[in-house]
Amino acid sequence: MIGIDNEVRRFKEGNHLEKAFTEKYGHAAEFIAVAPGRVNLIGEHIDYHGYSVLPMALSQSIRIAVSSNDSSQLHISNTSGDKYKDYSGSISDLDIKKGSAPSWHQYVLCGIKGVSENVKNSEDLLGMNFLVEGQVPPNAGLSSSSALVCCSALATTQANKLSFTPSELASICASSERHIGTEGGGMDQAISFLAEEGKAKLIDFDPLKSSNVVLPQQVVFVVAHSGVEMNKAATADFNTRVAEGRLGVQILAVINNLEWKSMKKAKELQKALKRSTKEMLALVAETFHEEPYSLSEISDLLEISAEDLHSQHLSASVQHLRSFELRKRLRHVFTEAARVEAFRDTCEGGGDLSGVQSLGDLMHDSHVSCRDDYECSCPELDELVDLMMKNGAYGARLTGAGWGGCAVAMVAKGSEDVFLRCLKKGFYEKDEEGRKRMDDALFVTAPGAGAHVVFPRDDLDNVELPPPNNFY
């Protein structure tokens, strides 16, 4: 039972979430589900193309205190009830609406729906009472929304005494989050379930697996919020990048006489062509022009009508678009995939100073590519990354989807206090709004643990654990 003793002790010793649950529902919580946020060290916007990524879990997490009920009703509340309204509904009628700015409880429903879609008798799922507490800053590129989906799925699994492996739940949650309209690739869910304390993870897809990456001992990572919030489900920016990459892949498939309609990921194409990443970059350069492509150009290259392209190959969230960047998007995908491999190889090669600087260079090159080729940065992120580099970071980059949210910097251990003071003075103390958010927006982090369940100590002898997995 991994980590249960320390977690149970914290629960027993006056856990404020447990107390708040009792005040809300009039009885004690049966358990608390925990799922961490994450910071992606390198490998941005390539998980949905099938390429490996290299994140680590944060110590900050989403926590849900849970009890079951026999009414088949869901009751979902938040400890920040002034910001997030309560929700109640039937567990047999999970109404998830795609569209702009989804309500917070929709992410909770995604996790429950994912579990219900993967059990034989979904109508037998118990009603549940949830009280949610969020420690991961929202809309910050730290995967708060995916952590909420993962935590909800884990809570549903435990409440119903079901058995899924961490990898199975990660895949379930990656699929179920798409109910809300975001076409992600699975990195956020994978690290939330597969993380181990003290270790970063190389996450591979198709099939999903992870391997430990030992980071240099002489560095720490600093996360800083740009002040610009970005909910990737609330705009078309994220899904536009997915569509642009997919269209570029399909055009390359047509040109190379491959069946293209089912090909959606750059790694699938690379495997089919049996080419190296360097050769794929050359192919992109010789095939696409720098200017955006119109719908008619793309339909001609795919040898289908513009109407069929629009109706059959573009998701609803991007059907308003009339032009697409192809060359720059694929250039980012292939160079970023190469950077992830180089980052892993450098970590495996040891932690001397030249290796640490090489890791920093890869991180900064990643930011430049996100800024210039994927165009998912923003002026505030660019300013923050520049300030990090000027104040001694080995490397710095945006992390998460971008268009706002956070940047992450790798700095020498022992220098973090001075580094934090420089960021406060140079970025946050420039205006009143920055000063207000400074304490919550800036922190040092280390790799945290993955999703798990905790119980009150007094109840341990009476807890019916499901078949062994890695959540306890």
Side-chain angles (χ1 to χ4, degrees):
M1 293 185 182
I2 297 174
I4 192 169
D5 288 341
N6 289 336
E7 292 296 342
V8 170
R9 186 160 55 248
R10 287 214 304 269
F11 194 173
K12 179 61 180 173
E13 292 174 358
N15 182 284
H16 66 277
L17 179 57
E18 189 228 3
K19 290 181 178 179
F21 183 95
T22 302
E23 291 174 1
K24 176 70 179 179
Y25 291 108
H27 59 268
E30 297 167 10
F31 63 90
I32 294 176
V34 183
R38 64 96 187 96
V39 57
N40 192 23
L41 299 180
I42 197 162
E44 217 63 73
H45 287 282
I46 61 173
D47 56 336
Y48 51 81
H49 276 290
Y51 287 107
S52 302
V53 293
L54 212 158
M56 67 183 192
L58 296 172
S59 55
Q60 291 91 336
S61 62
I62 301 294
R63 298 156 61 87
I64 304 180
V66 184
S67 69
S68 57
N69 65 62
D70 57 7
S71 68
S72 299
Q73 291 292 300
L74 290 170
H75 302 290
I76 304 171
S77 297
N78 197 297
T79 54
S80 297
D82 54 331
K83 295 180 181 179
Y84 305 108
K85 294 181 180 179
D86 288 2
Y87 169 86
S88 292
S90 172
I91 197 164
S92 61
D93 183 21
L94 301 173
D95 184 21
I96 302 173
K97 295 180 174 66
K98 291 184 179 181
S100 60
S103 299
W104 77 278
H105 73 268
Q106 299 272 314
Y107 293 97
V108 181
L109 297 184
C110 281
I112 299 169
K113 189 174 183 67
V115 173
S116 72
E117 291 173 336
N118 286 273
V119 295
K120 289 183 179 180
N121 300 309
S122 60
E123 66 275 8
D124 293 336
L125 289 181
L126 297 172
M128 294 175 290
N129 308 308
F130 282 4
L131 182 61
V132 179
E133 177 186 58
Q135 302 168 331
V136 184
N139 305 322
L142 301 178
S143 192
S144 60
S145 57
S146 293
L148 184 53
V149 174
C150 293
C151 199
S152 173
L154 179 57
T156 304
T157 297
Q158 171 59 32
N160 288 275
K161 307 298 186 293
L162 303 171
S163 180
F164 295 105
T165 67
S167 292
E168 287 170 342
L169 271 178
S171 296
I172 286 170
C173 290
S175 296
S176 66
E177 191 168 336
R178 295 176 190 137
H179 287 301
I180 216 160
T182 303
E183 300 181 39
M187 169 182 65
D188 300 344
Q189 299 82 4
I191 189 62
S192 192
F193 281 110
L194 303 178
E196 296 180 50
E197 190 169 4
K199 300 169 184 175
K201 288 283 187 177
L202 182 75
I203 307 291
D204 299 314
F205 303 94
D206 303 320
L208 177 63
K209 60 181 181 179
S210 68
S211 55
N212 294 330
V213 175
V214 179
L215 299 169
Q217 294 183 353
Q218 64 267 47
V219 303
V220 295
F221 293 90
V222 174
V223 177
H225 200 301
S226 66
V228 179
E229 293 191 352
M230 194 278 171
N231 182 336
K232 64 186 180 184
T235 73
D237 291 329
F238 184 90
N239 286 348
T240 296
R241 297 301 183 274
V242 176
E244 289 172 324
R246 185 174 296 169
L247 290 171
V249 165
Q250 292 174 331
I251 288 169
L252 289 174
V254 168
I255 291 172
N256 286 275
N257 300 311
L258 298 173
E259 200 291 311
W260 65 272
K261 290 186 178 180
S262 63
M263 190 164 291
K264 298 180 178 181
K265 299 178 180 180
K267 190 172 183 179
E268 293 175 348
L269 176 67
Q270 184 176 355
K271 284 185 175 180
L273 294 177
K274 299 179 180 179
R275 300 198 186 191
S276 67
T277 303
K278 185 176 181 180
E279 289 171 331
M280 293 303 296
L281 280 167
L283 181 60
V284 168
E286 69 188 37
T287 302
F288 298 108
H289 54 65
E290 283 282 358
E291 297 75 22
Y293 281 72
S294 66
L295 278 173
S296 60
E297 283 182 285
I298 293 172
S299 60
D300 287 345
L301 288 167
L302 294 177
E303 300 176 352
I304 60 174
S305 68
E307 291 75 16
D308 284 347
L309 172 63
H310 190 268
S311 63
Q312 297 178 25
H313 300 284
L314 296 177
S315 65
S317 62
V318 298
Q319 288 192 2
H320 65 285
L321 299 175
R322 292 296 176 266
S323 65
F324 300 84
E325 295 278 2
L326 302 184
R327 181 171 177 166
K328 290 196 294 185
R329 305 303 186 241
L330 286 181
R331 185 164 59 205
H332 168 78
V333 169
F334 290 119
T335 57
E336 187 77 346
R339 282 187 286 270
V340 172
E341 291 184 4
F343 196 100
R344 176 205 59 201
D345 293 345
T346 303
C347 287
E348 291 177 349
D352 60 18
L353 185 59
S354 64
V356 170
Q357 189 55 64
S358 294
L359 296 178
D361 292 343
L362 289 166
M363 290 177 67
H364 192 251
D365 289 347
S366 172
H367 180 77
V368 172
S369 182
C370 286
R371 181 192 68 199
D372 296 345
D373 279 349
Y374 227 66
E375 297 179 288
C376 61
S377 189
C378 67
E380 293 83 357
L381 274 173
D382 294 338
E383 179 186 354
L384 188 53
V385 168
D386 287 346
L387 185 63
M388 288 171 160
M389 296 300 295
K390 289 176 182 176
N391 282 281
Y394 289 114
R397 61 182 296 275
L398 67 82
T399 185
W403 297 285
C406 289
V408 58
M410 185 173 68
V411 303
K413 185 179 292 185
S415 70
E416 58 265 35
D417 289 342
V418 173
F419 186 77
L420 292 173
R421 287 197 295 271
C422 291
L423 293 187
K424 289 177 180 179
K425 182 177 180 180
F427 191 81
Y428 294 103
E429 293 179 353
K430 296 186 301 180
D431 55 58
E432 183 62 27
E433 189 62 32
R435 286 190 289 272
K436 287 180 180 178
R437 68 172 184 268
M438 184 167 56
D439 290 339
D440 294 329
L442 184 61
F443 57 91
V444 180
T445 190
H452 54 278
V453 175
V454 299
F455 299 98
R457 179 174 292 280
D458 289 347
D459 291 345
L460 269 183
D461 292 337
N462 301 316
V463 169
E464 181 186 347
L465 294 176
N469 51 34
N470 292 328
F471 298 123
Y472 306 100

